[in-house]
């Protein structure tokens, strides 16, 4: 894997960077590393490789969705969990729906209505509470409306 320098800063408190040019997190995960340059111009070794989460929501069957995501890479296995959120519109609000181990990358959402469902997942590191968030994806499952009468007994 070849890495390209995408950002440099001299502000040591700058710990968040959002690079959005030329990438599309809605189509694939991205892998990255970091290094630092000290005041004497010595560069550190590259960090551990990390990879973002790509999430995809599709139809499983009538009235149900299957949500799959690529596993987050960069933290020690067993040191983080996934938290899945679901909303009715892209802008939210989103409701916490389920929690999974770091080995799980699939969720089946059943008994759904004739509606849009938006999903995202977060990898949450247990000791530091660092978070890596996936893209948001949408699916509207085919809805089955029974066309037979209900018998009351």
């Amino acid at each position: 894997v070849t890495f390209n320098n995408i950002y440099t800063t001299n502000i040591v408190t700058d710990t968040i960077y959002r690079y959005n040019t030329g990438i599309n997190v809605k189509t694939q995960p991205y892998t990255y590393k970091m290094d630092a340059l000290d005041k004497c111009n010595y560069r550190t070794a590259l960090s551990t490789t990390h990879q973002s989460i790509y999430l995809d929501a599709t139809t499983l069957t009538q009235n149900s969705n299957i949500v799959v995501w690529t596993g987050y890479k960069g933290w020690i296995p067993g040191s983080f969990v996934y938290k899945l959120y679901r909303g009715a519109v892209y802008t939210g609000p989103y409701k916490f729906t389920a929690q999974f181990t770091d080995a799980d990358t699939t969720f089946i959402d059943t008994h759904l209505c004739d509606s849009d469902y938006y999903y995202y997942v977060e990898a949450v590191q247990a000791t530091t509470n660092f978070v890596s968030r996936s893209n948001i994806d949408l699916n509207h499952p085919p809805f089955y409306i029974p066309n037979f009468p209900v018998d009351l007994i």
Side-chain angles (χ1 to χ4, degrees):
V1 177
T2 302
F3 291 91
N4 299 318
N5 184 6
I6 59 170
Y7 181 69
T8 302
T9 183
N10 292 324
I11 303 168
V12 296
T13 58
D14 185 7
T15 60
I16 297 175
Y17 177 66
R18 292 178 176 90
Y19 177 74
N20 295 322
T21 304
I23 65 171
N24 186 353
V25 297
K26 295 180 181 180
T27 61
Q28 70 181 56
Y30 286 86
T31 304
Y32 57 95
K33 290 185 173 202
M34 291 178 43
D35 66 4
L37 197 62
D38 69 15
K39 68 179 183 177
C40 297
N41 243 7
Y42 290 105
R43 187 172 302 279
T44 64
L46 286 173
S47 69
T48 303
T49 300
H50 289 259
Q51 186 176 59
S52 63
I53 305 166
Y54 168 68
L55 179 139
D56 186 40
T58 57
T59 297
L60 179 64
T61 59
Q62 290 180 337
N63 304 6
S64 66
N65 288 333
I66 184 166
V67 182
V68 297
W69 58 91
T70 60
Y72 182 80
K73 293 182 176 73
W75 294 328
I76 298 169
S79 71
F80 64 99
V81 296
Y82 292 112
K83 294 183 177 183
L84 181 86
Y85 296 85
R86 180 178 71 189
V89 293
Y90 182 84
T91 56
Y94 286 82
K95 182 178 179 186
F96 171 75
T97 304
Q99 182 168 306
F100 306 92
T101 70
D102 62 355
D104 297 318
T105 57
T106 303
F107 172 69
I108 296 174
D109 203 0
T110 59
H111 307 294
L112 301 176
C113 296
D114 188 17
S115 181
D116 290 340
Y117 293 88
Y118 292 83
Y119 302 91
Y120 72 85
V121 69
E122 291 180 340
V124 181
Q125 213 282 336
T127 56
T128 63
N129 285 326
F130 289 155
V131 173
S132 180
R133 184 173 162 178
S134 74
N135 59 298
I136 295 172
D137 200 22
L138 150 77
N139 196 54
H140 188 125
F143 186 70
Y144 172 73
I145 301 172
N147 59 1
F148 52 88
V150 175
D151 291 330
L152 300 177
I153 299 176

